[in-house]
Amino acid sequence: MKIIVLMKQTFDTEAKITLDGQGKINRQGVNLIINPYDEFAVEEALRIKEKHGGEVVLVSVGADSVQEALRQALAMGADRAVLINPEMEEVDEFTTATILARAVSGLGYDLILGGWRAIDDGSAQVAGRVAEILDLPVVNQVTKIEIEAGKAVATRDIEGGNEVVEVSLPAVLTAQKGLNEPRYPTMKGIMQAKKKPMEKKNLADLGLSADQAAPKVKVLEYFLPKPRAAGKILEGEVPEAVAALVKALREEAKVI
Amino acid sequence: MDFCIDQELSLMIKTVKDFVDNEVDPVSHIIEETDRIPEDIMKKCKEMGLFGLSIPAEYGGAGIGMVGKCLIYEQLGRTSNGFTTVIGGHTGIGTVGIVESGTEEQKRKYLPPMAAGDKIGAFALTEPQAGSHAANIKTTAVRKGDKYILNGTKHFITNATIAEVFTVMAVTDKSKGAKGITSFIVEKSFPGFKLGTVERKMGLKGSQTAEVIFEDCEVPAENVLGRGGEGYTNALKILTNGRAGLAARNLGSMQKLLELSIKYAQERVQFDVPISSFQAVQHMLADMAVDIELTRSMVYRVAWMVDQKMKVIKEAAMVKYFASEAYCRVADRAVQIFGGMGYMKDLPIERYYRDARICRIYEGTSEIQKNIIAAQLLKDYG
């Protein structure tokens, strides 16, 4: 069983987001982690491999810094990693999915796993797009996966209950919280991870031109949420206070 | 000079810190109340390979050098020191003797299960009449055929209740004094091995300390560790190696106390302002940070010297002495910043304060460290 895990490196969940002088997100000094939903996917891939045998290959798009996240997943037990650096200022979901699909198709696969979304941009598009490009079925937000001959039975959360989906392999499945509890890398695993293969590629290595992968979406502006102002306490008798509240909601907050 | 930490060690630090902060620290009050480490935490530690840190890879360990070990110990110090001691006592004094002085057969037999954490190691030197005066031990070992018969009582033995493999120092030739002491690998299952009283301690809950009694305890002759008559030298070597590790554990605890203290000082309002705006509090934080930074510089330099196989008798004594005294100062200031809350069991500050106190005593008191430092100085410059 050859399992591909699509992985993204993101800011730490506790990272403080700031903008630099150019109005771009400041990456200086920010702790980077494996996107938590992708970490569930890595763990699930390892569990499937431990049960059914096979190989777990990590694929990621990003700069050299992503190696750190890939090494962590290799230390958890993945077999090898492929990192494609698009060498672009900005990428969008189209760019990432186009590159991933091309890289993955060259690797061969029985199952493709990923997180259902990344915690940074939260667009939840990439895995679905990869499935579309590769003409594969996709099951999103799964909380349980069972592999049987040539197919997967996946349980996914739906409003007020669960849905059990049977899908033929190969397929793309995206991980939701609750799928598993990711293991910690072992100390020995960390030592061994440096000997595991990590291929670094660029667009040309995949036979893609910059135009073919050029983003379709352009970010116009980033801005931070307005700092929360201090609350206001309306004094006086209830009827007057209510009147003042309605006035404030209408004229100051402009919500009614 | 290069102070960079390589990628593997960085990942180890991150992994252990995540584990300690997210899994161990939230149950530290349970460790404190039950005086034991919860099973699932022990299991995860074993799976992560924390019990095999310093055991060479060919015997199932991670084979990490002293710098790496100290970096990991530092993270382990960020929570219940009892937890830290269960791992530190095993990976330090509990296994180092076999790693450094064991025969090939001894290593093959004992190290793999010890690296996996399936068998915990402990170090048994101290006796009621032999604390700082370690050469004054009374436990005897008499050769009888292919066995040694051990008789005597060890006390204050760290992790004794969970350990299965003990490095034991006993007198084989009384006439030779310190040179008549031999070290042995003694298994809990050997006939004549008994656990005595489990001590009630001020701190370090989770790591139990007990008496170990040998009553005609039969130890196979092949379990002599190192050469006969070198037991005292072995013990000193084992303790020397452990000193930077102990300091690294103290470092992690101090760092945690500083983080907690800064956060609290910024939140706690008195006289309508956060107490962090008072210079008196700021100076306490500054003093804590200086103690931490000095300890950090020393720990990693000494650890590096150990990895370079340099002689560290004096430096290891210095770092053990300084770190344990610094830890007590930092813990004291943390209690002061937290005020009344620092004295309450609802917060972990008082626990660190109690845990810190033993560091100036065990594995060689501060006074003994000063003796070692002075003796080396007089030798070096004499």
Side-chain angles (χ1 to χ4, degrees), chain B residues 32 76-86 204-205 207 249-250 253 327 351-352 354-356 358-359 362:
Chain B
E32 193 68 12
L76 293 173
R78 297 176 56 84
T79 186
S80 152
N81 286 188
F83 164 77
T84 316
T85 302
V86 166
L204 279 196
K205 299 289 168 64
S207 162
R249 284 148 61 184
N250 295 343
S253 298
Y327 183 15
R351 188 190 73 219
Y352 285 104
R354 285 182 286 114
D355 287 351
I358 188 61
C359 299
Y362 72 174

Side-chain angles (χ1 to χ4, degrees), chain A residues 72 184 186-187 191 194, chain B residues 8 12 14 23 47-48:
Chain A
Q72 186 179 336
Y184 289 95
T186 68
M187 298 303 115
M191 302 290 272
K194 67 177 162 189
Chain B
E8 281 71 41
M12 285 185 194
K14 180 176 176 292
E23 312 237 2
E47 284 168 359
M48 288 170 74

Side-chain angles (χ1 to χ4, degrees), chain B residues 314-381:
Chain B
K314 183 176 69 197
E315 290 77 7
M318 286 175 170
V319 72
K320 196 271 176 188
Y321 166 50
F322 184 81
S324 54
E325 299 281 340
Y327 183 15
C328 286
R329 286 193 294 270
V330 166
D332 185 76
R333 289 190 169 111
V335 172
Q336 199 65 18
I337 289 172
F338 274 77
M341 282 313 292
Y343 201 67
M344 297 299 137
K345 295 239 179 219
D346 302 328
L347 292 183
I349 310 301
E350 62 84 30
R351 188 190 73 219
Y352 285 104
Y353 183 80
R354 285 182 286 114
D355 287 351
R357 193 59 184 84
I358 188 61
C359 299
R360 286 162 57 193
I361 300 167
Y362 72 174
E363 294 196 25
T365 61
S366 288
E367 291 68 31
I368 289 293
Q369 305 305 330
K370 285 191 265 191
N371 288 353
I372 296 169
I373 296 163
Q376 289 297 316
L377 286 173
L378 295 172
K379 214 168 166 183
D380 291 349
Y381 297 95

Side-chain angles (χ1 to χ4, degrees), chain B residues 124-145:
Chain B
L125 170 66
T126 301
E127 295 181 10
Q129 303 307 319
S132 290
H133 187 189
N136 195 37
I137 58 170
K138 305 292 182 210
T139 296
T140 56
V142 180
R143 177 97 192 214
K144 198 176 157 194

